[in-house]
């Protein structure tokens, strides 16, 4: 089996690539051309992956990559995925995160309609939630340009499935974290700063809305669900979540507790870090994924926080100097 992954250098892409290689897949990855390569997340498997230069903004390059690699499965994980940036760059986010999905689907339709397609949908599509917990049937009410773009990507995937008979599915994944999460995301910002404080390299952690609640799982668990969705006889969309919600405050408390510190001594609430339109409470109901796919998360909230804090502490110790 051959699988092509867009966004292979990201958190999810790197975990998925490792998972598929263990399954015996031949793995290809699409990367945007850049003057500086950032392959740190896949450094350990770089020599086992075929890399193709392609861009979700460019239809021709997408078609070329699919024609060249001829995958059995294509996982679209690439996106402008940082919610705050979507307000600063709403048009770019819409083109990349929304219309980019159409370009991938068109490449499949034109090159080989038998390719199985996975689209990375997001819990941010629920936004101002209409029911709690959120299921596959919960109406969308996105509260950011990112969420709006993800809704487009989700619906265009359904449209190509129903219009052209493609095996095209969306995983509505709730927040999933790991030591490979980018430093701009609040979870990694917390664990990274906590590690720096514990090592004497920082004195405070500035955060926005401490009451925002999210359903946080481990990225390594969630890529298994992606693969499981493409192994079924019929294409269906699934919510992938832990079913537990924790606030930013709880995450910070747990991270500081990992290093024996009281979070209240270091956390500063910064109004500038609040979103223009906040998403207050996301919690997923993954019952269908449990019953139909046989998927369940293996890493719980406290263990996840501990893994991330420990990794950031180890990184600082390895570097032998203050982490930036």
């Amino acid at each position: 089996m051959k699988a092509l992954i867009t966004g292979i250098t990201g958190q999810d892409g790197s975990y998925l690539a490792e998972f598929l290689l263990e399954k015996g897949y031949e793995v290809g990855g699409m990367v945007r051309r850049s003057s500086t390569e950032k392959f740190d997340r896949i450094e350990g498997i770089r020599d086992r992956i075929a890399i193709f230069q392609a861009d979700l903004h460019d239809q021709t390059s997408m078609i070329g990559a699919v024609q060249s690699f001829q995958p059995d499965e294509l996982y679209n994980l690439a996106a402008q995925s940082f919610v705050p940036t979507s307000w600063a760059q709403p048009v770019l986010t819409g083109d990349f995160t929304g219309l980019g999905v159409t370009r991938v689907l068109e490449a499949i339709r034109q090159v080989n309609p038998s390719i199985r397609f996975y689209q990375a949908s997001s819990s941010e599509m629920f936004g101002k939630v209409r029911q709690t917990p959120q299921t596959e049937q919960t109406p969308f009410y996105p509260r950011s340009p990112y969420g709006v773009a993800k809704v487009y990507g989700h619906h265009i995937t359904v449209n190509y499935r129903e219009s052209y008979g493609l095996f095209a599915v969306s995983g509505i994944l709730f927040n999933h974290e790991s030591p490979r999460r980018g430093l701009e995301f609040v979870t990694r910002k917390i664990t990274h700063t906590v590690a720096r404080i514990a090592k004497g390299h920082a004195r405070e952690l500035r955060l926005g809305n401490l009451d925002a609640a999210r359903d946080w799982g481990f990225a390594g668990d969630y890529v298994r669900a992606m693969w499981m969705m493409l192994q079924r006889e019929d294409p269906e969309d699934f919510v992938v979540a832990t079913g537990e919600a924790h606030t930013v405050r709880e995450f910070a408390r747990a991270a500081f507790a990992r290093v024996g510190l009281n979070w209240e001594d270091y956390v500063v609430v910064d109004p500038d870090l609040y979103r223009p339109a906040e998403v207050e409470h996301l919690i997923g109901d993954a019952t269908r994924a449990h019953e139909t796919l046989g998927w369940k998360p293996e890493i719980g909230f406290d263990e996840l926080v501990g893994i991330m804090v420990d990794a950031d502490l180890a990184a600082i110790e390895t570097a032998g100097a203050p982490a930036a």
Side-chain angles (χ1 to χ4, degrees), residues 118-134:
Y118 173 86
Q119 164 59 14
S121 286
S122 168
S123 59
E124 288 287 333
M125 300 188 303
F126 295 121
K128 191 175 181 179
V129 298
R130 289 325 203 198
Q131 70 180 65
T132 300
Q134 294 86 55

Side-chain angles (χ1 to χ4, degrees), residues 191-213:
T191 63
H192 179 72
T193 306
V194 165
R196 295 187 68 227
I197 289 172
K199 294 295 183 180
H201 303 316
R203 296 182 178 179
E204 67 178 23
L205 168 62
R206 303 186 75 83
L207 297 172
N209 183 7
L210 298 181
D211 296 316

Side-chain angles (χ1 to χ4, degrees), residues 86-212:
S86 75
W87 275 288
Q89 299 180 318
V91 176
L92 174 68
T93 300
D95 192 19
F96 198 163
T97 306
L99 285 174
V101 183
T102 312
R103 297 186 185 104
V104 181
L105 287 163
E106 267 298 294
I108 290 174
R109 188 179 73 84
Q110 293 181 37
V111 175
N112 181 3
S114 69
I115 295 171
R116 295 193 168 204
F117 174 75
Y118 173 86
Q119 164 59 14
S121 286
S122 168
S123 59
E124 288 287 333
M125 300 188 303
F126 295 121
K128 191 175 181 179
V129 298
R130 289 325 203 198
Q131 70 180 65
T132 300
Q134 294 86 55
T135 72
E136 292 83 359
Q137 303 304 315
T138 303
F140 299 140
Y141 194 142
R143 296 269 282 173
S144 67
Y146 169 78
V148 172
K150 279 294 186 181
V151 170
Y152 176 92
H154 182 87
H155 281 306
I156 200 66
T157 300
V158 173
N159 187 263
Y160 269 66
R161 178 169 72 216
E162 296 179 349
S163 299
Y164 300 115
L166 300 186
F167 193 106
V169 302
S170 290
I172 307 174
L173 271 57
F174 280 65
N175 293 63
H176 44 288
E177 317 299 319
S178 77
R180 300 179 191 176
R181 192 56 138 161
L183 289 171
E184 69 272 23
F185 291 88
V186 67
T187 51
R188 183 71 197 293
K189 175 182 179 179
I190 290 171
T191 63
H192 179 72
T193 306
V194 165
R196 295 187 68 227
I197 289 172
K199 294 295 183 180
H201 303 316
R203 296 182 178 179
E204 67 178 23
L205 168 62
R206 303 186 75 83
L207 297 172
N209 183 7
L210 298 181
D211 296 316

Side-chain angles (χ1 to χ4, degrees), residues 209-214 216 246-249 278-281:
N209 183 7
L210 298 181
D211 296 316
R214 295 292 185 272
W216 278 304
H246 297 272
T247 63
V248 172
R249 178 184 288 101
E278 185 58 80
V279 175
E280 293 290 348
H281 191 87

